[in-house]
Amino acid sequence: MAAATGDGADTINSEQFVPASKPAPGSSLYVSQHDDKNERSEDDKDDDEAPEDAGNGTAVKKRKKKKKPKKKKTSVNETAKQSSPPRIPVASLFSPGQYPVGEEVEYRDENAFRTTNEEKRHLDRMNNDFLEEYRHGAEVHRQVRQWAQKNIKPGQSLTEIAEGIEDGVRALTGHQGLEEGDNLKGGMGFPTGLSLNHCAAHFTPNAGNKTILQKEDVVKVDFGVHINGRIVDSAFTMAFDPVYDNLLAAAKDATNAGVREAGIDVRMSDIGAAIQEAMESYEVELGGQSLPVKCIRNLNGHDIIQYSIHGMKSVPIVKGGDQTKMEEGETFAIETFGSTGRGYVRDDMETSHYAKKADAPNVPLRVSSARMLLSSISKNFGTLPFCRRYLDRLGHEKYLLGLNNLVSSGIVEAYPPLCDVKGSHTAQFEHTILLRPTVKEVISRGDDY
């Protein structure tokens, strides 16, 4: 989910990171590279040096022990494979506590001590439940999006695409969200955004929308998954004409630059500068014109807190003067947007995305439909983002008057689509990162992006 803010000015060099020695998780059935990290096999014990005879100093030949077959360890239930479309809960594909680990990146320079520091390692172990919830949600996101990438094609309606993704997320988390409170346990953490072309973010079809995906479209697919309010927010862009390859490459490269730069004690301004440098090194050839790819300067990444996709911090995607630092234990969505247009977005089109404010005021509501709707939103979504289709799915009818009253009363925030100039094209990529005490974990990393 994009955060819209203003511009900034200066840059400062920041902390650098190097990748961990082991690779990032590959497929959706990746097994944690750390499962056997501290084990010592029976074979290793057999290779120990034989002791010397105390009397004559000669080596005594050690009798060979019969080698015991090493038990095969796996976190994957090998008898179950994911279906297409995805409908098997991820919890039934993995043993308890064995969800795939994201890409781990070691800290360096003044934070290099964190990797081996016993106090930090203890703090990391204390976060086990937090990590398992995040890794569970991340695996759901990977499996659903990889299915979507193979199946989204021109000729499909945006409603069909969105519902296909959302049906997959609900099935894989094991929470359909139709019973009161069920969606608060797990499911959609952010409605499926399907923003086309000059629209950069926050568009999903409302009921009755008949938009069909065209071959010449550039579509941003942005959705969130949550387990117990731990939101994994990740996005990718698809295009079906190779003329847009450089635009997609620019956004992907810029997001990876932001992920590399991000870390404990790093200033936001430095992350923005790294993102802008990567993004604006690209050009796109369209209609015989060479167009520079620009960062959309008033869209940002953001921190994520439990049940709230937007915390209090923003991560700029252009250089500026924000001296705010990232801190240990925080979670961030690093997302970047590139555009062939002005590089600036405005509210446009019909609103579909909403969220109840965490600090919503306690004000009297004179519209009865608003009171009833607020009760339903609180019980089913809390402060998680939702869209109009989700209210339709719960059986609400003729709720727009009440919804608009909640927005005007400052209780619910509306997130209208954010668009650059018509005729331009935009691209987005996004990852969620955890700033653990010992390492940075790119929780949403997969073999696709």
Side-chain angles (χ1 to χ4, degrees):
M1 182 177 184
T5 61
D7 308 334
D10 300 322
T11 66
I12 298 177
N13 291 329
S14 71
E15 172 189 11
Q16 299 293 319
F17 296 90
V18 293
S21 57
K22 297 292 179 93
S27 70
S28 60
L29 297 182
Y30 168 77
V31 182
S32 169
Q33 63 188 0
H34 304 288
D35 285 348
D36 300 320
K37 193 171 185 180
N38 296 315
E39 288 192 356
R40 189 175 182 224
S41 71
E42 291 294 328
D43 294 350
D44 294 334
K45 294 177 183 177
D46 290 343
D47 292 336
D48 284 346
E49 186 180 338
E52 288 191 345
D53 185 279
N56 56 22
T58 59
V60 177
K61 188 174 180 179
K62 187 175 181 181
R63 186 169 56 126
K64 285 189 177 179
K65 293 181 182 178
K66 186 177 179 181
K67 294 181 179 179
K68 295 179 181 178
K70 189 175 180 180
K71 292 182 180 179
K72 183 179 180 183
K73 292 187 69 177
T74 177
S75 64
V76 182
N77 180 350
E78 294 183 352
T79 63
K81 301 293 182 184
Q82 190 52 261
S83 60
S84 181
R87 292 294 182 269
I88 302 174
V90 162
S92 66
L93 295 176
F94 292 89
S95 301
Q98 294 295 325
Y99 295 112
V101 178
E103 178 191 23
E104 293 182 325
V105 183
E106 293 179 359
Y107 300 116
R108 53 177 297 187
D109 298 333
E110 65 269 22
N111 278 307
F113 77 96
R114 292 176 171 276
T115 306
T116 56
N117 181 270
E118 283 303 319
E119 181 184 351
K120 298 302 181 184
R121 288 160 66 92
H122 174 71
L123 287 172
D124 212 21
R125 289 191 293 270
M126 295 287 287
N127 287 332
N128 187 60
D129 290 344
F130 164 86
L131 290 174
E132 281 304 297
E133 289 166 351
Y134 256 115
R135 288 169 182 165
H136 186 177
E139 183 61 15
V140 171
H141 200 288
R142 274 190 293 272
Q143 292 195 20
V144 172
R145 80 186 188 223
Q146 289 173 7
W147 170 82
Q149 289 161 2
K150 294 174 184 175
N151 289 274
I152 293 175
K153 300 285 190 298
Q156 293 177 301
S157 71
L158 296 190
T159 299
E160 177 187 359
I161 295 169
E163 290 181 347
I165 290 171
E166 291 160 359
D167 288 348
V169 169
R170 293 180 182 120
L172 269 59
T173 58
H175 297 284
Q176 289 297 322
L178 291 174
E179 295 181 6
E180 190 175 285
D182 189 46
N183 189 63
L184 293 173
K185 299 174 184 176
M188 294 300 300
F190 181 70
T192 306
L194 296 170
S195 305
L196 298 179
N197 304 322
H198 73 290
C199 183
H202 297 175
F203 178 89
T204 197
N206 288 324
N209 186 289
K210 305 295 185 186
T211 304
I212 302 296
L213 184 65
Q214 305 296 323
K215 183 180 179 181
E216 60 271 18
D217 286 335
V218 178
V219 57
K220 278 71 63 184
V221 184
D222 184 358
F223 67 98
V225 176
H226 89 94
I227 301 292
N228 192 30
R230 308 298 184 185
I231 305 170
V232 177
D233 191 13
S234 188
F236 58 95
T237 300
M238 296 182 70
F240 310 96
D241 188 329
V243 298
Y244 301 112
D245 285 355
N246 262 17
L247 177 61
L248 273 61
K252 183 186 288 187
D253 190 12
T255 296
N256 285 329
V259 168
R260 282 193 302 272
E261 193 74 15
I264 295 171
D265 297 332
V266 177
R267 291 179 174 85
M268 301 300 181
S269 57
D270 300 329
I271 300 170
I275 289 170
Q276 185 173 19
E277 181 179 5
M279 181 82 77
E280 297 187 353
S281 66
Y282 286 82
E283 292 184 343
V284 181
E285 191 79 27
L286 293 176
Q289 283 186 300
S290 184
L291 302 174
V293 179
K294 302 174 184 176
C295 288
I296 299 181
R297 61 185 181 275
N298 61 328
L299 289 182
N300 298 320
H302 47 90
D303 65 330
I304 301 172
I305 57 178
Q306 192 172 20
Y307 287 107
S308 293
I309 200 163
H310 281 181
M312 299 299 293
K313 293 182 178 180
S314 293
V315 185
I317 65 173
V318 293
K319 60 184 180 182
D322 188 352
Q323 299 298 300
T324 304
K325 290 183 179 181
M326 291 182 167
E327 298 176 67
E328 179 184 311
E330 291 182 324
T331 300
F332 285 91
I334 305 296
E335 60 181 323
T336 72
F337 298 83
S339 176
T340 61
R342 295 176 57 231
Y344 191 88
V345 293
R346 300 182 186 279
D347 297 349
D348 196 7
M349 302 190 291
E350 185 178 58
T351 300
S352 55
H353 288 51
Y354 299 85
K356 179 185 172 185
K357 294 181 180 179
D359 57 350
N362 186 14
V363 295
L365 295 171
R366 294 182 175 83
V367 179
S368 60
S369 61
R371 292 194 295 271
M372 293 174 60
L373 186 61
L374 177 60
S375 175
S376 179
I377 290 170
S378 299
K379 292 174 181 176
N380 289 286
F381 307 110
T383 53
L384 291 169
F386 62 92
C387 66
R388 290 193 201 176
R389 284 185 293 103
Y390 297 1
L391 298 178
D392 299 333
R393 188 170 178 268
L394 289 173
H396 290 284
E397 297 178 349
K398 300 179 180 178
Y399 54 78
L400 271 182
L401 176 63
L403 183 57
N404 289 334
N405 183 247
L406 293 176
V407 172
S408 62
S409 299
I411 297 171
V412 168
E413 185 79 35
Y415 296 95
L418 300 168
C419 302
D420 205 331
V421 293
K422 288 184 178 179
S424 64
H425 293 84
T426 59
Q428 171 199 17
F429 278 86
E430 177 179 22
H431 274 301
T432 295
I433 64 170
L434 312 179
L435 299 183
R436 291 165 47 192
T438 56
V439 292
K440 172 175 59 179
E441 184 172 346
V442 189
I443 197 72
S444 54
R445 182 73 80 191
D447 59 0
D448 49 352
Y449 67 89

